Amino acid sequence: MRETILNNTNQGNQTIRAPHIKSRTERAKDYPERFPVSDDKLDWAIKFPKYSPTNFVLQKVLDNDITKKPGGWADPEDIELAKKLRTPGSYEGPLKFDTRSRPLNPRGRTGLEGRGILGKWGANFAADPIVTRVNPETKLIEMLAIQRKDNGEWAIPGGMVDYGEDVSETLRREFKEEAGVDIDMSDAVEIYKGYVDDPRNTDNAWMETVAKHKHLSAELAAKMTPKAGDDAEAVRWLPLTEENLNKLYANHGEMVKKALANLNSK
Ligand code: RP5
């Protein structure tokens, strides 16, 4: 069951509530089985005495502990030490913590404890540049998309926000690194901010993002020569058909649908 896109009628525009489906049903690369969590057991407030998810963190995360490795990108495994260095935050509001003081996923249980492949306890912040054009031949709207190396799915060419980095800069940097194109994203329109239904999410670490949209003129799009970066298997102008949108990574399809709705309303 997918959560629906909610219409925020008060503001007269659409807001998205990211679903929490892939986070508890899919297994990212190298992940163990998730403990089954049904819709009625999602909420942390609901008692679930049988719930015994595997505690899982990849060695790569432990090896990149910032307190041990210069240039590392991960919090220390010791949550008390991690909290002394950084307070876990979230775009979703105040966080709850478990009895071991670890932050709890704001959308509820995922069937896995620990951080998996994610470096930060709590929210791991990303930025997603949605860049579209009209195909000069087919006249279809297309998005410059990358094929992810970890699971082969097509995705927005997003990436992690570096510590202290401005989101517009992350959008520009990631777009350049992953799709090989340098464009100013400072005038891009914010589409979404919050939880991402990412298959890497766990009970204690999850993805959140800011997605911004920029629609390119035919002239600007024609000048671009996209090239897949190290983190991407391939890059292409992806026609935004219903089928392609529904197959995008995580809940990227919902974000791109919102960008399209904004574009069509202009
Ligand atoms: C998703 O993971 C975000 O929406 C963003 O697209 C991406 C960032 O992670 P990496 O691509 O850097 O692994 O949750």
Side-chain angles (χ1 to χ4, degrees), residues 208-220:
E208 295 192 16
T209 197
V210 175
K212 291 195 181 190
H213 176 218
K214 179 158 175 153
H215 184 70
L216 302 181
S217 65
E219 296 73 37
L220 191 54

Side-chain angles (χ1 to χ4, degrees), residues 25 36 132 161-162 180 197 222 266:
T25 57
T132 55
V161 179
D162 286 342
D197 189 19
K266 279 184 186 156

Side-chain angles (χ1 to χ4, degrees), residues 126-185:
D128 282 295
I130 302 171
V131 175
T132 55
R133 71 161 188 182
V134 174
N135 183 300
E137 278 142 39
T138 64
K139 307 294 176 208
L140 285 174
I141 299 180
E142 299 177 330
M143 174 180 80
L144 198 61
I146 52 123
Q147 188 177 28
R148 293 182 62 92
K149 274 196 174 157
D150 53 1
N151 65 359
E153 291 181 13
W154 288 90
I156 305 170
M160 301 294 188
V161 179
D162 286 342
Y163 186 73
E165 188 179 38
D166 181 76
V167 168
S168 292
E169 263 319 297
T170 311
L171 292 165
R172 183 173 189 159
R173 177 177 58 71
E174 283 295 333
F175 201 72
K176 192 165 176 209
E177 281 175 17
E178 302 215 15
V181 177
D182 187 17
I183 41 173
D184 176 17
M185 291 295 289

Side-chain angles (χ1 to χ4, degrees), residues 71-90:
W73 43 263
D75 285 344
E77 179 65 358
D78 177 346
I79 184 65
E80 298 301 346
L81 176 58
K83 280 168 133 179
K84 278 186 193 141
L85 303 173
R86 191 181 65 81
T87 308
S90 169

Side-chain angles (χ1 to χ4, degrees), residues 99-119:
T99 50
R100 286 168 60 188
S101 196
R102 298 174 303 183
L104 286 171
N105 188 311
R107 289 288 201 280
R109 297 180 173 100
T110 66
L112 267 187
E113 294 187 342
R115 285 177 291 165
I117 182 59
L118 299 176

